Amino acid sequence: MKFLCAHECSGEHHLIIDDSENLSRVVISRITNIIESGAKPILVNENLAVQALNSALFNQQELEVVQKKIEVRDLETFGRCEVDNVVDRVFVTMKSDEPIKRQLFERCKKLRIPINTINSSELSSFTMLSTYKKGDFQLGVTTTHQSCKLANRLKREIVQKLPENLDQIVSNIGNLKRRIQFIDSEDEDILDDVKDVKRPRWLSQIIEYYPLSKLADISISDLTDAYANMPVVEQQHATKQGRISLVGSGPGSLSMLTVGALHEIYNADLILADKLVPQQIIDIIPKKTEVFIARKFPGNAENAQQELLNIGIENLQRGKHIVRLKQGDPYIFGRGGEEYNFFASHGYKPVVMPGLTSALVAPVVATVPTTHRDVSDQVLVCTGTGKKGKLPDLPVFQSNRTVVFLMSLGKMVDILPLLYDRKWPTDLPVCVVERASCPDQRLIRTRLGDLIDVLKAVESRPPGLLVTGYSCEVLCKLDNGQKYRIEEGYHETHVRTSLHDIIGVLSEDKLPK
Ligand code: SAH
C-alpha cells in the first residue's frame, strides 16, 4: 500500500533528482510545492544548462542546485546536518532509464526515505496528489501514476461540484465540534438541557444529512432549539387563506421528481423539508423561497416534528403557501397520514402529491426486478424500526416474495435472529442499497447469512435499505464463492437531468397546442 504525501514538512530537506537541460514544468512544480510545504528543495542535475538556471524562478536561498551526476550515497549527504545527513524525501524526475533509479529506490526503502519516481509506481513508495485547498478544506486526487493530467482534470471536476462556501462549512463544523466538546460559559445555558452523549450524535446527524451548502450556517442553537418548549399554536381566525401541500420529493435524483412536485416547489412561500430530503432537490429551491429543515436528531424526533408542524400552522394563518416536502413518498413511512390529520384538524386540508418511494426505486437502481415471472409475484415494504425503537412484527418467509426493509440496516443484529425464527434461509440473496439514485449511491450484494459481517466491514452510508428475495439474483449474480460485491455510484448516463432540461422541456413552444 502506497502512502499519500502529506504537506507539512518544515525544516526538512527534499531531494529532486533530474536529468533535463531545462527546468521542466514538473520540476518547477515540485520545487514550488516543496517550498510551500516548508521544506528545502535540493536539485541534483548534471545536465542543467547555466542559462536555464539564470532564468529560473527561484533564488539561491530558496533552492539549492547541485550540478553533478547523482550517486546513491548522496541520499545520506544532502540531508539536515544537525540530524543525520539523510534526506527526508526524494523526487526522481529523470527521464532516462538508468539502473540508478532502481538503486535509489532500494536505498530509500532501506533508509525509510519516502520516494516518488515519476511515471513509475513500482519505484515509488508514495503517490503525488493533485491538490486543492480552500481554508481548512483540502482535497488530494491521484490516479496512482496513470496520468497526472487526468488527476488534475478530475480534481477540477470534483471541485466544481462542491459548494462555494466549503471553507466556511469546514470552519463552522470544526467550531461547533469544539464548542460541544469543551463547553464554555457562553454556551452553558444553551446546552444545559441536552445530555452530553447526545450532542456529538446530533452533530454527526447534521453532517450526514443536511444539504452541504447549509452547513456553513448551522449554529449551536440549531442543535438545541428543538429542545426548548414549543409554543402551543392557538388557532386564530385567518384573514387570508393559506394552503398546504404534502409533496414527495422522490429518492434523490432530480430525474425522479414529479412535474407536480416541481410546480409546488416553485410556487411555495415556505418549504418545510425533512432532513432526509436529498441535496439535489434542496438545490433547486428558488433563492427567494424560505426553507426550514427539520431538526430531527436521535431522541429528538417528536420535538422536531412538533416544531415543524407548529411553524406550518403559524405560516398558514398568515396566508402563506406551505410546501411540506418529504423524502420519497409522503405516505410510505413518512408520517404523511398523521400530518394530513394535523393540518386538516386546524382547518387546512392538504393537497397530497405522491413521490417515487425509495422502497421501489432502490430495487430498480440495483437491477432487481421486484416481480419476475416464476421468481417473485409479491412485493412487501416493511420497516425494521417499530414504535419507541422496539422491533416491529416481522414477516414470515415466503420464497415468491421480494421484501424491502426500510430503517433497518443499523438493527440487523437484532432483526436477523427473528427472521431466522420465521424460516428465512441464510443463503437468500439480498442487496443493500444506500443513497439510491444519488451520485454517491452504493450497492452491496450478498446473502442473508453474510449480511452482518459485511455491514461490519463497511462504514454505513445512510439512508439505506435492504432488498431481499430470489429476485435479487435474476439479473445480477454474485460470482462463484464470492461473499459480497460492492458497486459504487449512480450513473444517469441516459437520463441525466438538470433543472435546465426540465424547464426546457416544459417551455411554452414545446408544449402541445
Ligand atoms: N418516505 C420515504 C421513506 C422514509 S423512511 C420513501 O418513500 O422513500 C426513511 C428510510 O427510507 C431510510 O431509513 C431508508 O431505509 C429509506 N431511504 C430513504 N431514502 C433512501 C435512499 N435514497 N436510498 C436508500 N434508502 C432510502
Side-chain angles (χ1 to χ4, degrees), residues 90 204 302:
V90 172
S204 62
E302 287 310 317

Side-chain angles (χ1 to χ4, degrees), residues 209 248 250-253 274 276 278 326-335 355-362 365 381-383 385 404-409 432-438 441-442 461-466:
Y209 289 110
S253 164
D274 275 347
L276 268 185
K326 303 179 82 61
Q327 199 262 352
D329 181 90
Y331 284 170
I332 303 278
F333 297 114
R335 302 182 73 165
L356 265 80
T357 175
S358 61
L360 294 180
V361 169
V365 299
V381 177
C382 59
T383 175
T385 304
V404 184
F405 290 91
L406 274 64
M407 295 180 278
S408 59
L409 292 177
V432 173
V433 185
E434 295 172 299
R435 303 206 174 183
S437 86
C438 299
Q441 170 183 294
R442 182 172 64 178
R461 197 182 287 177
L465 51 72
L466 183 73

Side-chain angles (χ1 to χ4, degrees), residues 430-474:
V430 300
C431 183
V432 173
V433 185
E434 295 172 299
R435 303 206 174 183
S437 86
C438 299
D440 53 351
Q441 170 183 294
R442 182 172 64 178
L443 309 176
I444 310 170
R445 298 182 201 279
T446 183
R447 295 187 182 278
L448 202 59
D450 290 324
L451 183 61
I452 299 286
D453 286 350
V454 173
L455 288 176
K456 269 190 205 145
V458 298
E459 207 179 320
S460 76
R461 197 182 287 177
L465 51 72
L466 183 73
V467 186
T468 66
Y470 293 107
S471 55
C472 288
E473 58 180 14
V474 168

